[in-house]
Amino acid sequence: MRAALEARAAVAGLSVPLYLVECGLREPHGWSLHQQRHWVAEWEAAAVKLSRSGSALNQLARQANSGHVVGQQQLQAALTYHQRVLDELHRVLGAVDRHRGAGR
């Protein structure tokens, strides 16, 4: 039994006592604290990227509105990156939503 606990704790990256606390706090069929931390970090990273991408697009729009030429390649690169960030955010939200639906 102890070896199994040590193995599970190692997989979670926690000590045995912290692993037992985490298991005690987890709702049935819910995410562990380790999984919650992972998805919060994923969400925060995607949110920061989205904010930066939106700011870059706003800067390009300001340039274009003030009469400066915005190159097609520069605009396409900004839009492609923005789409990748949206796809990443969609992946994170999809994972969270699937989990929420499974625990109901």
Side-chain angles (χ1 to χ4, degrees):
M1 175 103 171
R2 172 109 182 142
L5 278 175
E6 289 172 345
R8 290 182 186 143
V11 168
L14 301 169
S15 66
V16 172
L18 283 177
Y19 178 75
L20 291 172
V21 168
E22 183 176 315
C23 289
L25 294 175
R26 183 168 53 179
E27 294 179 21
H29 308 294
W31 274 344
S32 68
L33 294 175
H34 182 73
Q35 290 168 313
Q36 289 175 29
R37 282 188 223 111
H38 168 78
W39 287 109
V40 166
E42 289 284 316
W43 165 260
E44 288 173 347
V48 168
K49 289 178 189 176
L50 185 61
S51 176
R52 290 179 180 164
S53 179
S55 294
L57 288 173
N58 281 335
Q59 289 175 2
L60 290 175
R62 268 194 302 272
Q63 287 178 9
N65 288 334
S66 66
H68 292 84
V69 175
V70 177
Q72 178 68 26
Q73 189 175 12
Q74 186 181 16
L75 181 59
Q76 188 59 53
L79 290 172
T80 298
Y81 179 74
H82 192 71
Q83 185 60 54
R84 273 191 257 140
V85 171
L86 290 173
D87 291 343
E88 181 179 338
L89 188 57
H90 186 261
R91 176 186 62 81
V92 171
L93 291 173
V96 170
D97 194 47
R98 272 193 305 281
H99 178 76
R100 286 185 60 214
R104 290 181 190 161

